[in-house]
Amino acid sequence: MSSFSKQSASSPLSRRHLLRSLAAGSMLLPGMLSELLADSSGPKTDPLAPQPPHFPAKAKRVIFIFSNGGVSHMDTFDHKPRLFVADGKTMGIGGGLSNQQRVLLKPLWQFKPGGQCGTLVSDLFPHLRDRMDDICLIKSMKSDDNEHYQATLAIHTGSFFFSRPSIGSWVSYGLGTVNSNLPSFMVLAQQLPYAGTQVFANDFLPAYHQRVRVVPGPTPIADLDRRTPQADVQQLELDFARTLNRRHLAEREADQELAARIRSFETAFHMQTEAREAFDVSKETRETMAQYGLDPAKPTGFGWKCLVARRLAERGVRFIELIDGSSSHNWDQHGNMAEHADHAKAIDQPIAGLLKDLKERGMLDETLVVWTTEFGRTPGVDGDKGRGHHSACFSSWLAGGGVKGGISYGSTDDIGATVAENRVHVHDFHATILHLLGIDHTRLTYRHAGRDYRLTDVAGKVVREILA
């Protein structure tokens, strides 16, 4: 009987003891034992090790909130008094609509000042209105395409027509992770937005920087349960597989997929405990739950996503994206703008709660919270009582992480059809986010197919007026 079989089931296994037991039973290949005993730490260079920024960063991490479908700027954050008085009048509307004659449609919600700064926000977002002192509102966003697919792809990747790496993958590539037990880029999405998984893809960037998708529910990450009941046995299996893979990889140094697979085994092993703990919100106080609008007995919905985002940020995840809406149920209200109310109610208190919670914990200064949509909506009617797609201008906002709170930047014309001043293109938006992370967007490049690519393509400028 081998010494392994004599080991008490109740006593912990010694990794060294187990290795020697396996060797005695001729279960290890020649030379494998010495490799495993000498080094169980994995590859000598960790592709996800923390990387220094180009210059001192204001933000260490990003929570990126995307509202899918095209949120109407003039019904939420861009107050247009003229629309209230010109409701029902027909006029030519510019901004990419070729001066089509449209019947103007007034907003269904009143605007009120928020916070000490007095930024006007509609009644769709009463909780966020109270947090405007922490928010930098950009009213002059500009995209280049009126179709959901292309605009959604662009706000995530900087490319309107071709698959390119997501901003989350770029941040992972540029900065690495501070917690090797969790992925550097995680996406919380019940269902997929327009353009599907392309908006989260690492594309030509090394596979280490691909996102891990979290699906709210009883099993946030599939196949996370341990196959082997004893962690030390599973660790041994992982070490054994890694040693074989490293030998194989040494002969194929350019095989990024194999290198990523080796790294993913290690991360997956540690995620079995750390990720599970991060998703378990049961230990949060009732006060914290209420702040996110959650029922402690059944914490679900967008509030769960926001609370888990804070918990992942605490644990060192570099880029966390929250998806609001899907390709089939979203803010795309052509027929009836009143439907915006349901979508706003689902995210208003959770996002406001996230900002408040981060601030109370001293995390907001180093966490950049971003909210955006893919484009805005037309000032005129499209459908019965709805608005059409409008890429000429829309609103987004940033909070914490080195931006000035309590300000509005840029403006649109008196009906919200075109940018009037301080245009912020999607490329400028990305350049500014990277800058707050200490990254020069012109220097964060990756050579692929004979040319150097970057998130901002060949454009983009940092919006320095909003930096604290």
Side-chain angles (χ1 to χ4, degrees), residues 144-157:
D144 291 339
D145 202 289
N146 279 332
E147 293 302 319
H148 290 294
Y149 184 102
Q150 287 85 349
T152 301
L153 192 66
I155 200 68
H156 284 88
T157 72

Side-chain angles (χ1 to χ4, degrees), residues 37-59:
L37 286 172
D39 179 18
S40 63
S41 61
K44 296 300 182 183
T45 57
D46 183 355
L48 285 175
Q51 302 296 318
H54 295 143
F55 46 82
K58 295 293 182 68

Side-chain angles (χ1 to χ4, degrees), residues 26-340:
S26 299
M27 295 179 68
L28 293 178
L29 299 175
M32 195 72 68
L33 175 63
S34 59
E35 288 187 46
L36 288 169
L37 286 172
D39 179 18
S40 63
S41 61
K44 296 300 182 183
T45 57
D46 183 355
L48 285 175
Q51 302 296 318
H54 295 143
F55 46 82
K58 295 293 182 68
K60 292 183 177 180
R61 64 195 74 90
V62 177
I63 298 176
F64 190 94
I65 304 169
F66 176 68
S67 286
N68 189 49
V71 179
S72 171
H73 48 295
M74 71 279 296
D75 289 281
T76 53
F77 297 107
D78 195 1
H79 184 222
K80 295 300 168 190
R82 186 180 175 192
L83 283 181
F84 285 92
V85 300
D87 181 51
K89 294 182 179 179
T90 301
M91 67 174 293
I93 298 174
L97 295 178
S98 303
N99 289 320
Q100 296 178 18
Q101 294 292 313
R102 296 272 178 156
V103 176
L104 295 183
L105 179 66
K106 71 177 181 180
L108 299 181
W109 300 272
Q110 295 298 314
F111 280 69
K112 300 183 182 66
Q116 296 296 314
C117 62
T119 299
L120 291 170
V121 178
S122 88
D123 287 342
L124 275 176
F125 289 118
H127 292 90
L128 272 172
R129 185 162 57 201
D130 291 340
R131 307 305 310 174
M132 293 310 293
D133 289 340
D134 297 320
I135 288 175
C136 170
L137 175 62
I138 302 177
K139 296 181 178 180
S140 51
M141 289 288 294
K142 169 71 169 66
S143 187
D144 291 339
D145 202 289
N146 279 332
E147 293 302 319
H148 290 294
Y149 184 102
Q150 287 85 349
T152 301
L153 192 66
I155 200 68
H156 284 88
T157 72
S159 170
F160 287 87
F161 303 107
F162 304 102
S163 297
R164 293 289 183 265
S166 169
I167 182 173
S169 292
W170 277 112
V171 171
S172 174
Y173 168 65
L175 296 177
T177 184
V178 294
N179 185 348
S180 60
N181 296 336
L182 289 171
S184 56
F185 175 25
M186 301 184 76
V187 177
L188 280 65
Q190 186 77 39
Q191 295 177 300
L192 296 177
Y194 290 108
T197 57
Q198 289 188 63
V199 301
F200 315 134
N202 57 295
D203 199 57
F204 52 69
L205 288 180
Y208 317 111
H209 308 294
Q210 60 189 309
R211 72 7 183 191
V212 168
R213 182 183 172 191
V214 176
V215 180
T219 309
I221 297 179
D223 303 319
L224 198 60
D225 289 336
R226 179 176 290 134
R227 181 176 61 83
T228 304
Q230 291 172 291
D232 43 9
V233 174
Q234 189 181 27
Q235 177 68 71
L236 179 61
E237 292 175 345
L238 178 63
D239 289 343
F240 183 73
R242 182 177 57 220
T243 301
L244 290 173
N245 285 334
R246 286 168 59 192
R247 284 185 173 184
H248 189 59
L249 182 61
E251 302 171 0
R252 299 164 177 81
E253 294 183 359
D255 191 341
Q256 294 180 358
E257 292 298 325
L258 175 58
R261 193 173 303 118
I262 296 171
R263 181 64 169 77
S264 68
F265 287 160
E266 300 163 2
T267 302
F269 173 72
H270 296 292
M271 280 176 63
Q272 290 174 341
T273 54
E274 187 142 356
R276 194 182 307 281
E277 190 275 334
F279 301 144
D280 181 9
V281 301
S282 63
K283 296 180 181 178
E284 298 286 346
T285 66
R286 296 184 69 88
E287 291 76 16
T288 298
M289 292 280 201
Q291 194 165 274
Y292 286 83
L294 289 171
D295 177 358
K298 191 178 180 181
T300 59
F302 204 78
W304 184 89
K305 291 182 184 180
C306 288
L307 180 52
V308 168
R310 189 220 79 206
R311 293 173 64 84
L312 292 174
E314 283 179 312
R315 288 156 177 77
V317 177
R318 186 73 74 177
F319 197 98
I320 306 149
E321 177 163 2
L322 313 183
I323 297 297
D324 163 35
S326 67
S327 59
S328 60
H329 182 69
N330 56 57
W331 295 79
D332 192 26
Q333 270 76 68
H334 291 272
N336 188 2
M337 283 304 300
E339 294 177 20
H340 259 39

Side-chain angles (χ1 to χ4, degrees), residues 381-413:
V381 174
D382 182 81
D384 294 333
K385 299 178 182 178
R387 302 187 189 277
H389 304 172
H390 197 65
S391 63
C393 55
F394 61 105
S395 296
S396 303
W397 57 256
L398 306 94
V403 301
K404 295 176 182 176
I407 69 167
S408 294
Y409 180 80
S411 65
T412 57
D413 63 21

